[in-house]
Amino acid sequence: MALLCTVCFKAVQRRPGTFDMEFTGLYSASLQNDKLSSGSVPSLFDSPMERYLKAKQSVQHFTVTQLGLAIFSNESSNKYVVHSYNFFLFPSTWGVTDVEFTLSASSIQFLSHYGFDYNKFLKDGIPYMNEAQEKILHQYLLEGSRKVSSALDRDALKKAIDEVTCWIAAAEEEETMILQDLSGYQVLEVQLVLRQALQNVWTQPLGIKKVMVKKVSPQRRRLLENSPDDCCQKELILLSARGFTNLFQILVQAKKPLVGHNMLMDLMHLYDKFYKPLPESYEEFKRNIHNLFPVLIDTKTVTKSIWKKCQFPLRSSLLEVYAVLCSNLNPKDSMCPKIALASECSRYAEKKSPHEAGYDAFLCGSVLLKSAHLLLCTSTDGALEADPCFPQYLSVLAEYLNKVNFIRGGVSSINFSGEDVPCHHPPLLVVHVRGWPGLNERQIYQEFKALCRFDVRRLSKNQFLLLSNKFKQVRLVLRDYKHHPHLRVSVYGHWRHSPGVNCLLQVSGVVALWSVLAFVLGGATCCLF
């Protein structure tokens, strides 16, 4: 891990990193079953703050299974060599840390279909932790506590202690024995427990599954404890337990552009798993992400704009977008960026591996370069005088920087360096129900589902709001439900339909009525005298 961190550190100093993540689920199953509830499923009614709070629930339920990182090195004027890394991740279980997470059956099935190796995720996943978890572990180490979190670790420790206890009674000084078949943190746990229990032993790891135990004198033990190479020093234990978080911190320190595709959930998981627990405040989340990564580029935001300008055929997945940009629909020229995979990840050139995080990270960076080149050619009418450099590409992408795609909501993108700009939806519709008691949001959704797709929200006891992102669907519903016996559909008007305005008008009417009565009765009393 230390060598990999060094390699990546040198790489990210030169060029931006593109990344992708896979999760154990996207939305909580209980909330997904109630699709029209105010749970975690996205809705066109969502403001950015509402969507953030919904997504926060999901991020806290699920965990990251895999993270892909691709580094694009500019070897010559228009040639880029890609070093793509694929990391299986698993939450740190060191000490008292024991993270709970949920598995979504549909997500597991989806990743399994694309060949995801769950054994590697569970057995060999690189640990990670956020700052809050690191503080707990640091306190645990300071207190010298040796509480073990799992029954598996307890069994391994008991077996190791029994073996060493039987051996040491007859052993001579400087004599050694080897403990075998240890895994993960057991290598560290065994050493810490043995050193605490027996003052005349010294331990040293041999590879990743063995520990050497040596019988030593107390004087020799004190000398060894002060050695800077001792793997059981608290700082080195923390470094090991942080695992992938060390690489995350390198990416933060580099302050290079971070590129993703449809990356809101990825950013939220990055924050929650490697930085701090997600805050309640949406604005605080935006501010902190911008401090961590000053330049974000979402290729979904970029390609949405290009697709409108170039009238490419609609494509949804990252692999489909990449295929269009590599096809004859996107004219090539001699200055177009040439992208080659480094030898260690050449298998991605031989075989497509969609939804493997390392492959998707490679696709994401390739889409960025091809899209930027297309935008640059368009802005100069194809009159490029020399091979473009990356700063030129970054310049032509300026309007998209820090704008992360927002799926089905009140804004088209989240602006991490400024105010979010509302998007323009078709007119909001209101459905007034007559003679159909007990109707709920799900039934309203099902009623209109065959004709078009609307998001539904209850307005009052007998009124529901409908919101679509397609003008054609709004016109169809207004036409086809014009003479419906139970459902009257009309365009929403704030002064006419808002419950708040209606309530205010009712209160004003009551106040006005009492004022008139008081005036009339007061005048009548005066007349009597």
Side-chain angles (χ1 to χ4, degrees):
M1 187 67 194
L3 176 61
L4 180 58
C5 286
T6 303
V7 170
C8 286
F9 179 73
K10 289 178 179 178
V12 298
Q13 291 298 309
R14 298 194 299 269
R15 283 289 170 256
T18 63
F19 82 111
D20 182 75
M21 299 170 82
E22 303 297 336
F23 317 116
T24 57
L26 288 177
Y27 306 114
S28 174
S30 59
L31 294 170
Q32 199 164 3
N33 288 336
D34 186 9
K35 189 170 183 176
L36 302 170
S37 73
S38 58
S40 65
V41 177
S43 164
L44 287 169
F45 289 102
D46 291 345
S47 67
M49 181 181 69
E50 289 171 329
R51 178 66 58 79
Y52 169 75
L53 293 175
K54 285 183 176 184
K56 180 172 174 282
Q57 296 178 46
S58 297
V59 170
Q60 291 169 337
H61 270 91
F62 301 110
T63 196
V64 180
T65 58
Q66 200 178 61
L67 188 147
L69 179 65
I71 307 298
F72 284 67
S73 298
N74 199 183
E75 298 294 319
S76 61
S77 55
N78 67 339
K79 182 181 178 182
Y80 293 82
V81 175
V82 187
H83 297 264
S84 192
Y85 305 93
N86 196 48
F87 305 97
F88 285 87
L89 304 179
F90 194 81
S92 177
T93 57
W94 171 257
V96 292
T97 306
D98 192 10
V99 175
E100 295 181 0
F101 60 85
T102 303
L103 298 174
S104 163
S106 59
S107 294
I108 300 302
Q109 191 176 47
F110 176 82
L111 289 178
S112 296
H113 174 75
Y114 288 100
F116 186 84
D117 189 343
Y118 278 96
N119 281 327
K120 200 162 186 178
F121 159 60
L122 294 169
K123 292 176 66 178
D124 302 325
I126 301 169
Y128 59 86
M129 59 175 55
N130 61 30
E131 289 182 7
Q133 293 163 333
E134 186 177 339
K135 285 179 182 176
I136 293 171
L137 176 57
H138 188 259
Q139 188 62 33
Y140 166 86
L141 293 172
L142 286 176
E143 292 170 355
S145 173
R146 293 294 172 261
K147 181 180 177 183
V148 182
S149 59
S150 74
L152 182 66
D153 289 341
R154 282 193 291 272
D155 291 343
L157 283 176
K158 185 178 184 304
K159 181 175 178 288
I161 291 168
D162 289 345
E163 286 182 29
V164 173
T165 304
C166 292
W167 164 80
I168 201 167
E172 299 288 336
E173 267 191 26
E174 298 300 313
E175 194 174 333
T176 63
M177 70 168 292
I178 306 296
L179 297 173
Q180 305 197 46
D181 298 326
L182 301 170
S183 62
Y185 290 120
Q186 292 173 2
V187 172
L188 275 172
E189 290 275 15
V190 162
Q191 294 183 79
L192 292 171
V193 169
L194 288 174
R195 290 185 189 187
Q196 187 179 50
L198 302 169
Q199 297 303 308
N200 59 340
V201 302
W202 186 247
T203 61
Q204 188 175 333
L206 298 176
I208 59 173
K209 292 192 174 183
K210 297 179 183 179
V211 169
M212 182 198 74
V213 183
K214 179 187 287 189
K215 187 172 182 178
V216 296
S217 66
Q219 295 83 0
R220 176 72 173 151
R221 165 75 178 256
R222 284 192 291 273
L223 285 173
L224 291 168
E225 283 177 340
N226 294 321
S227 168
D229 299 324
D230 180 15
C231 69
C232 290
Q233 289 184 3
K234 291 182 178 63
E235 293 76 12
L236 293 177
I237 292 173
L238 281 171
L239 185 70
S240 175
R242 276 198 297 265
F244 189 84
T245 306
N246 296 307
L247 184 51
F248 167 78
Q249 290 168 349
I250 287 172
L251 289 172
V252 170
Q253 292 164 12
K255 299 300 178 190
K256 294 294 180 179
L258 187 67
V259 184
H261 186 80
N262 222 358
M263 63 196 292
L264 177 59
M265 293 295 283
D266 302 81
L267 288 171
M268 292 183 72
H269 274 284
L270 273 182
Y271 189 113
D272 187 70
K273 304 303 186 289
F274 310 122
Y275 180 51
K276 293 178 179 178
L278 285 166
E280 288 298 320
S281 166
Y282 164 68
E283 292 298 333
E284 183 183 348
F285 166 71
K286 278 181 58 176
R287 186 167 57 251
N288 288 346
I289 282 288
H290 188 54
N291 289 335
L292 293 170
F293 302 107
V295 180
L296 297 171
I297 306 175
D298 190 338
T299 53
K300 181 70 173 181
T301 303
V302 177
T303 54
K304 271 170 60 176
S305 174
I306 290 176
W307 253 238
K308 290 178 183 176
K309 293 175 182 176
C310 299
Q311 296 183 331
F312 288 150
L314 290 177
R315 295 292 183 266
S316 56
S317 75
L318 179 59
L319 182 58
E320 290 172 334
V321 170
Y322 173 75
V324 168
L325 289 172
C326 292
S327 72
N328 293 331
L329 293 171
N330 179 24
K332 310 297 186 299
D333 58 64
S334 60
M335 299 179 196
C336 189
K338 295 174 177 60
I339 302 167
L341 283 153
S343 57
E344 68 270 14
C345 45
S346 59
R347 67 186 181 91
Y348 289 156
E350 299 160 5
K351 181 184 177 183
K352 296 175 183 177
S353 303
H355 304 291
E356 181 174 304
Y359 181 72
D360 284 355
F362 154 67
L363 292 183
C364 183
S366 301
V367 165
L368 176 74
L369 287 172
K370 290 177 180 294
S371 298
H373 186 78
L374 181 57
L375 287 170
L376 188 60
C377 288
T378 304
S379 66
T380 59
D381 293 325
L384 294 175
E385 296 180 359
D387 291 338
C389 59
F390 188 76
Q392 283 178 278
Y393 286 152
L394 204 56
S395 176
V396 81
L397 291 166
E399 65 177 291
Y400 307 106
L401 300 185
N402 297 318
K403 292 176 182 176
V404 171
N405 186 54
F406 192 79
I407 303 171
R408 288 179 59 80
V411 297
S412 59
S413 61
I414 290 178
N415 186 357
F416 279 87
S417 56
E419 294 294 321
D420 300 325
V421 179
C423 60
H424 299 291
H425 285 305
L428 187 63
L429 300 183
V430 60
V431 180
H432 184 80
V433 182
R434 295 176 295 185
W436 197 345
L439 207 61
N440 59 31
E441 289 169 294
R442 177 165 291 281
Q443 290 168 312
I444 288 287
Y445 177 82
Q446 293 297 331
E447 169 68 25
F448 291 96
K449 184 180 177 182
L451 186 64
C452 50
R453 184 181 177 188
F454 280 93
D455 284 351
V456 183
R457 179 173 288 184
R458 184 182 287 275
L459 180 64
S460 64
K461 182 180 178 181
N462 295 316
Q463 290 181 313
F464 298 86
L465 296 175
L466 303 181
L467 185 58
S468 172
N469 55 5
K470 298 187 183 299
F471 284 88
K472 183 180 178 181
Q473 293 181 349
V474 171
R475 290 193 293 269
L476 280 174
V477 167
L478 286 172
R479 184 195 69 190
D480 292 3
Y481 278 78
K482 195 171 184 178
H483 303 293
H484 195 280
H486 301 295
L487 303 176
R488 189 179 74 225
V489 182
S490 59
V491 175
Y492 176 82
H494 178 72
W495 293 103
R496 183 181 175 191
H497 298 112
S498 170
V501 171
N502 288 334
C503 181
L504 180 62
L505 291 174
Q506 288 173 11
V507 171
S508 300
V510 171
V511 171
L513 178 61
W514 278 105
S515 299
V516 171
L517 286 173
F519 176 78
V520 171
L521 293 175
T525 304
C526 291
C527 290
L528 290 174
F529 292 98

